[in-house]
Amino acid sequence: GENVEQHPSTLSVQEGDSAVIKCTYSDSASNYFPWYKQELGKGPQLIIDIRSNVGEKKDQRIAVTLNKTAKHFSLHITETQPEDSAVYFCAASIGGTYKYIFGTGTRLKVLA
Amino acid sequence: GAVVSQHPSWVICKSGTSVKIECRSLDFQATTMFWYRQFPKQSLMLMATSNEGSKATYEQGVEKDKFLINHASLTLSTLTVTSAHPEDSSFYICSAPGGGLAGAGVYNEQFFGPGTRLTVL
């Protein structure tokens, strides 16, 4: 079945450094790739997304890149701040549907 | 933006009782909603798709008789955990896709509720 792998599972960076989280998906029909930030005890919050017809998207300190050929997509956070500390999940749509398969999550800790 | 609410935010119940969780789309209509379960330090696992006016569809391995879903209107879906046991203790999250009747969000995007923490003693 469809699968999304996410690495690393934990990531510690110094404040101001960059953080990169990578995901690989298996469904070649996936066309939508959102990234969510989840703080403890809360629901996921969309931070950025990308569609299959775009290779890169940026929103201030956050960027996402997509390599359809390799079925890879990555989240890049620059100039990290302590408030960026959270669990980040990638997801891939199942085909062109609203249903998602989520990655396993990355616990990001930004050290002040 | 599109907002999804859940009620209650947390609930504690005794083993064997049933618990109902509500998911509402506050400013848009949702003919489809999704229910997820998340165990501590794990990812979100899709349990079922709630469809307004028809039966829910359940993911493989999810007991439909245990997790009853009712999509009573275009803004409300409920999940009832029947005869709850300690192993059902989890964080339950609903979501609703954008687009559709109200044009909220964009195609493919899901809006997530804040989650409901269920603890079964």
Side-chain angles (χ1 to χ4, degrees), chain A residues 31-32 36 38 40-46 49 51 87 89-90 93-105 107, chain B residues 32 34 36 38 41-46 49 57 59 91 93 97-100 106-115 117:
Chain A
N31 67 353
Y32 179 70
Y36 288 88
Q38 187 178 30
L40 190 63
K42 297 184 178 180
Q45 294 292 316
L46 179 71
D49 57 11
R51 299 192 180 284
V87 179
F89 291 98
C90 63
S93 65
I94 298 175
T97 72
Y98 285 122
K99 294 174 69 171
Y100 299 165
I101 294 290
F102 278 84
T104 48
R107 187 171 300 276
Chain B
T32 299
F34 299 103
Y36 295 83
Q38 185 179 33
K41 297 187 178 182
Q42 293 190 23
S43 187
L44 286 76
M45 298 300 295
L46 180 64
T49 303
T57 54
E59 297 300 305
F91 194 50
I93 308 171
V106 295
Y107 186 72
N108 289 130
E109 182 176 358
Q110 290 186 30
F111 300 95
F112 283 82
R117 172 77 56 195

Side-chain angles (χ1 to χ4, degrees), chain A residues 35-111:
Chain A
W35 284 90
Y36 288 88
K37 176 182 180 182
Q38 187 178 30
E39 297 178 337
L40 190 63
K42 297 184 178 180
Q45 294 292 316
L46 179 71
I47 56 171
I48 197 167
D49 57 11
I50 192 167
R51 299 192 180 284
S52 57
N53 59 350
V54 175
E56 184 173 358
K57 183 177 178 180
K58 189 174 182 180
D59 182 5
Q60 299 183 333
R61 298 187 295 109
I62 296 173
V64 57
T65 59
L66 171 65
N67 182 330
K68 278 191 65 178
T69 302
K71 297 182 187 173
H72 290 169
F73 58 113
S74 300
L75 176 71
H76 304 252
I77 305 174
T78 59
E79 301 173 21
T80 54
Q81 301 166 3
E83 50 265 37
D84 294 329
S85 296
V87 179
Y88 291 81
F89 291 98
C90 63
S93 65
I94 298 175
T97 72
Y98 285 122
K99 294 174 69 171
Y100 299 165
I101 294 290
F102 278 84
T104 48
T106 296
R107 187 171 300 276
L108 174 65
K109 183 178 290 187
V110 180
L111 306 172

Side-chain angles (χ1 to χ4, degrees), chain B residues 4-108:
Chain B
V4 175
S5 70
Q6 283 184 241
H7 179 81
S9 56
W10 60 269
V11 56
I12 301 173
C13 69
K14 293 182 178 180
S15 185
T17 60
S18 295
V19 174
K20 180 184 286 187
I21 302 170
E22 293 185 348
C23 176
R24 293 182 185 272
S25 55
L26 297 186
D27 49 3
F28 68 104
Q29 294 176 326
T31 56
T32 299
M33 291 183 175
F34 299 103
W35 286 97
Y36 295 83
R37 180 166 54 182
Q38 185 179 33
F39 291 110
K41 297 187 178 182
Q42 293 190 23
S43 187
L44 286 76
M45 298 300 295
L46 180 64
M47 298 175 64
T49 303
S50 174
N51 303 298
E52 190 270 335
S54 64
K55 291 182 179 180
T57 54
Y58 292 82
E59 297 300 305
Q60 191 172 9
V62 177
E63 299 175 60
K64 63 180 181 181
D65 294 329
K66 181 167 187 62
F67 299 99
L68 301 180
I69 291 172
N70 183 30
H71 200 134
S73 73
L74 288 172
T75 59
L76 173 64
S77 174
T78 59
L79 169 69
T80 301
V81 183
T82 62
S83 186
H85 289 93
E87 57 265 31
D88 299 321
S89 298
S90 187
F91 194 50
Y92 291 86
I93 308 171
C94 69
S95 71
L101 298 177
V106 295
Y107 186 72
N108 289 130

